[in-house]
């Protein structure tokens, strides 16, 4: 990415599990704390999830808003949360929840980089093995995200 959309404060690791709604709320809260979205973005994520699942495969979900809710996006940013206990994402097992907010069309480039990273099972295994948020941040950042 041309700009940094991820900082160390936007990366978390939880030893336990979460519900899909809790995971989406945390993703939205991190993006809001980063100044990338308004408080309306969580509702936008829920609207998107009602129309189409944001489960992407390989233990990854990428909750994001709808085109109609672009006004809730102030800047492009990511949140990366790993739930070692897993998240039941509409019947699919998820370990990584990456919240995304893209200003304009920037979300397409960000999504592309994430898709490349998570398409490689060895990369996913490295992300799962990261011992700290700092290590996870370094691995995600090194991928070009």
């Amino acid at each position: 990415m041309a700009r940094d959309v991820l900082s160390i404060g936007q990366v978390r690791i939880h030893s336990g599990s979460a519900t899909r709604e809790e995971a989406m709320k945390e993703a939205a809260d991190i993006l809001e704390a980063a100044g990338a979205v308004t408080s309306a973005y969580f509702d936008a994520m829920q609207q998107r999830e009602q129309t189409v699942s944001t489960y992407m495969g390989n233990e990854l979900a990428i909750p994001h808003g709808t085109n109609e809710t672009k006004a809730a996006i102030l800047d492009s940013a990511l949140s990366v949360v790993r739930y070692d206990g897993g998240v039941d994402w509409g019947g699919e097992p998820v370990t990584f929840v990456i919240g995304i907010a893209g200003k304009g069309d920037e979300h397409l480039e960000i999504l592309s980089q994430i898709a490349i990273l998570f398409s490689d099972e060895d990369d996913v295994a490295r992300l799962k093995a990261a011992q700290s948020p700092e290590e996870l941040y370094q691995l995600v950042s090194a991928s070009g995200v």
Side-chain angles (χ1 to χ4, degrees), residues 58 60 104:
N58 252 359
L60 170 67

Side-chain angles (χ1 to χ4, degrees), residues 75-94:
D75 203 359
S76 296
L78 289 176
S79 61
V80 177
V81 185
R82 189 179 82 196
Y83 295 93
D84 292 344
V87 178
D88 178 343
W89 207 273
E92 298 292 348
V94 166

Side-chain angles (χ1 to χ4, degrees), residues 100-115:
I100 184 168
K103 193 76 176 153
D105 288 334
E106 289 182 351
H107 67 286
L108 299 175
E109 184 181 346
I110 298 167
L111 280 170
S112 168
Q113 294 296 326
I114 294 168

Side-chain angles (χ1 to χ4, degrees), residues 15-138:
S15 59
S17 61
T19 66
R20 178 171 56 180
E21 184 162 292
E22 289 167 343
M24 285 195 314
K25 180 74 172 122
E26 183 168 17
D29 288 349
I30 293 169
L31 292 172
E32 186 178 352
V37 301
T38 69
S39 59
Y41 200 64
F42 175 60
D43 290 336
M45 284 180 165
Q46 289 183 303
Q47 287 174 30
R48 165 72 68 196
E49 205 64 43
Q50 287 169 5
T51 56
V52 62
S53 175
T54 56
Y55 173 73
M56 300 293 157
N58 252 359
E59 301 182 53
L60 170 67
I62 307 178
H64 55 284
T66 62
N67 288 337
E68 296 76 38
T69 55
K70 284 276 192 191
I73 298 173
L74 307 173
D75 203 359
S76 296
L78 289 176
S79 61
V80 177
V81 185
R82 189 179 82 196
Y83 295 93
D84 292 344
V87 178
D88 178 343
W89 207 273
E92 298 292 348
V94 166
T95 301
F96 295 93
V97 177
I98 299 185
I100 184 168
K103 193 76 176 153
D105 288 334
E106 289 182 351
H107 67 286
L108 299 175
E109 184 181 346
I110 298 167
L111 280 170
S112 168
Q113 294 296 326
I114 294 168
I116 291 167
L117 176 63
F118 278 86
S119 67
D120 186 312
E121 289 183 11
D122 290 339
D123 286 339
V124 174
R126 277 190 285 280
L127 295 170
K128 286 178 78 170
Q131 296 295 306
S132 66
E134 293 78 13
E135 186 180 349
L136 184 56
Y137 168 77
Q138 291 298 331

